[in-house]
Amino acid sequence: HAPVAFTAPNQRLYTQGLPTGGKRAILRVGGSTQATAITGSQSGIDIESIEVDGARPALGRVDGGGLIEIGGNATGQVVKNIWSHDPRGWSALHLIEGAVTGGVPACQQASVTDNQIGPSGMPGGEWADGISLACGNSIVSNNTVTDATDGGIVIFGAPGSIVSDNTVVASTRVLLGGINLVDYAPTGGNYAGTVVRNNTIDAAGALIKVGIAMGP
C-alpha cells in the first residue's frame, strides 16, 4: 500500500526471464489514497517486463502524481516492455525533470521503449497522460499508447530528446492531444533539438481533438 522505491543507482525491477504479455509480474496499487506505484530518482535504474496497474476502476481517482514517477537528478534510466495502465493520478508514466539550469533539466538520457501504456484517465475532466517526458536527450520509441485522455505523449521541453516510431490510439476514449509540445514549464520553453518523427496517431474508435500540438 506504498510505492516501490528505488534506493540506489542501477537497481532493476523486472520479471525473471523478461517475458512479454500476460507472463509479466503485476504490481498493483492498493492504498486508499495511493497514486504512485513506483518511484525513483537514481541513475541507471531499470524497470522492465512488468505490468503496473493503478487500479483506478476499483479505487477511483485521487489527486497525486503519476503511476510511475521517475527521473529527477538522474541519468540513464530505462523503462522497457512494461504495461502501465489505469493511473489514479495524472499520468501513467512520468519522467520528471529534476533541477533545471539554464533551461536544461538534470534528468538526462532516459530510454522508454517497447512499452504498452493505457488506458489512462477518463473523459470529462478527469484526464491523464500516457507518457509525460521532461528528461533531456532521451529516447521514447516503439511504444503504444492506447486510450489516454489528456495527452498520449506529452513533451515538457525535454531538449534534445527523440520521440519516434510510437503509436497513439484513441479506441474508446476521447483524447485531447496525440503528441503535445506545448508546456512552457519546466524548461522555460526550451525545446532545442527535440525531435518528433515517424509516429502514428490514430483516432481508431474515438475523437482526437488535436493530433500534434505545438507552441506555448
Side-chain angles (χ1 to χ4, degrees), residues 78-94:
V78 173
V79 181
K80 184 175 182 180
N81 184 32
I82 72 166
W83 177 24
S84 179
H85 62 94
D86 295 297
R88 302 181 72 193
W90 69 276
S91 182
L93 172 60
H94 181 209

Side-chain angles (χ1 to χ4, degrees), residues 18-21 24 46-51 78-84 93 111-117 131 139-145 153 162 164-167:
L18 303 179
T20 60
R24 292 174 289 197
D46 185 338
I47 305 169
E48 194 166 349
S49 294
I50 62 171
E51 176 184 342
V78 173
V79 181
K80 184 175 182 180
N81 184 32
I82 72 166
W83 177 24
S84 179
L93 172 60
S111 174
V112 179
T113 60
D114 304 304
N115 301 290
Q116 298 84 50
I117 305 292
I131 298 171
I139 301 293
V140 176
S141 183
N142 294 310
N143 303 285
T144 299
V145 180
I153 301 173
I162 298 174
S164 69
D165 302 290
N166 302 284
T167 301

Side-chain angles (χ1 to χ4, degrees), residues 155 157 180-185 188-191 213-216:
I155 304 166
N180 290 353
L181 303 87
V182 301
D183 288 276
Y184 190 79
N190 182 15
Y191 281 85
M214 298 174 66

Side-chain angles (χ1 to χ4, degrees), residues 119-131:
S120 188
M122 294 296 293
E126 295 187 348
W127 307 313
D129 294 345
I131 298 171

Side-chain angles (χ1 to χ4, degrees), residues 39-100:
T39 183
S41 57
Q42 295 77 16
S43 293
I45 60 175
D46 185 338
I47 305 169
E48 194 166 349
S49 294
I50 62 171
E51 176 184 342
V52 185
D53 179 4
R56 177 166 171 169
L59 299 178
R61 181 178 182 272
V62 294
D63 289 326
L67 181 57
I68 300 171
E69 282 279 354
I70 56 173
N73 298 339
T75 301
Q77 297 182 340
V78 173
V79 181
K80 184 175 182 180
N81 184 32
I82 72 166
W83 177 24
S84 179
H85 62 94
D86 295 297
R88 302 181 72 193
W90 69 276
S91 182
L93 172 60
H94 181 209
L95 290 94
I96 196 167
E97 63 278 356
V100 177

